[in-house]
Amino acid sequence: MDTSPYKWSVWLRVAAYLAVAVTAVGIASLADRPVAEYSIRHLSDQGELYNMLRMAGYLPLWIVIAIAFAMIDAPLGWRGLRSRGALLLTSVVVSGAAAEVLKMLVRRERPVPPFTEYVFRPWQQDTFSSSGLGWPSSHSAVAFAAVWVLCRLHPRASLMWILIGVGCAVSRLARNDHFLSDVVGGAIVAYGVVMMLAPRREPAP
């Protein structure tokens, strides 16, 4: 059995991640109903602002940005091509896919008034379709995957990156497309993916 300090460090990080994840989703779940009721009264229609924030969870947008990073870093050779662009591209794709798979496993449907209880889809109904399912939010997973990667690559702008992710999460609440715990779950899934793909990523110069 490998008991090296590095292995212990990895296991401690995983345990801390799981503890924080369970706690965060639990707390968010307690707020699901009041947040959903508030959203349906006050955040039902945000126009262009809604559209802008929602785009942060649009996978093709980050694919284009990842390609742009790869083009910028191309003069560095193969190392450049597989650095920022590859990390961003891999993170958003894997996070989005992981969220879709988890939706089909958890099978919790999106909010439906009066928000008194969660509704779970039977296994025999649309077994391999994530349409209409809520936990975790795939838009939030994609947006926060990009956020966590950009925070590691360019930490000086971390506040801006995080605001982009939070804005996307709010847009998913605005029309009751998701519960609060759905978007928190998406952010947590994304962090786990980025933690696995870039555990010791150094900031970009």
Side-chain angles (χ1 to χ4, degrees):
M1 180 178 179
D2 189 346
T3 58
S4 65
Y6 176 72
K7 285 290 184 180
W8 279 112
S9 174
V10 170
W11 283 111
L12 287 173
R13 291 180 66 193
V14 171
Y17 166 76
L18 292 175
V20 171
V22 171
T23 302
V25 172
I27 293 173
S29 297
L30 295 176
D32 275 343
R33 182 177 179 181
V35 170
E37 291 174 344
Y38 178 86
S39 298
I40 203 169
R41 290 196 302 268
H42 302 289
L43 301 176
S44 58
D45 186 7
Q46 299 299 312
E48 293 303 317
L49 178 61
Y50 166 86
N51 293 329
M52 182 188 75
L53 296 175
R54 188 177 184 275
M55 283 294 292
Y58 185 53
L59 181 61
L61 171 66
W62 295 110
I63 292 175
V64 171
I65 294 174
I67 293 172
F69 270 141
M71 294 173 68
I72 293 168
D73 295 337
L76 299 176
W78 175 245
R79 178 176 174 274
L81 288 174
R82 65 184 178 85
S83 57
R84 292 190 299 176
L87 177 59
L88 179 59
L89 176 63
T90 306
S91 296
V92 295
V93 170
V94 173
S95 295
E100 290 296 311
V101 171
L102 285 170
K103 281 183 182 181
M104 290 185 285
L105 293 175
V106 176
R107 308 190 70 73
R108 192 175 82 184
E109 296 188 353
R110 298 189 180 199
V112 177
F115 316 115
T116 54
E117 62 183 11
Y118 297 127
V119 178
F120 292 87
R121 181 182 297 172
W123 280 98
Q124 64 272 20
Q125 180 182 341
D126 297 327
T127 303
F128 298 108
S129 173
S130 64
S131 178
L133 300 177
W135 197 95
S137 164
S138 53
H139 273 78
S140 293
V142 169
F144 274 98
V147 166
W148 303 137
V149 168
L150 291 171
C151 284
R152 290 181 177 228
L153 292 174
H154 304 286
R156 289 185 180 180
S158 290
L159 177 60
M160 183 60 66
W161 309 138
I162 292 172
L163 287 175
I164 290 173
V166 171
C168 180
V170 171
S171 77
R172 306 312 292 148
L173 301 175
R175 297 180 180 177
N176 273 301
D177 289 323
H178 285 282
F179 285 113
L180 177 62
S181 58
D182 293 343
V183 299
V184 170
I188 288 170
V189 168
Y191 188 85
V193 169
V194 174
M195 186 173 68
M196 289 187 296
L197 294 176
R200 294 185 175 184
R201 184 74 188 184
E202 295 296 327

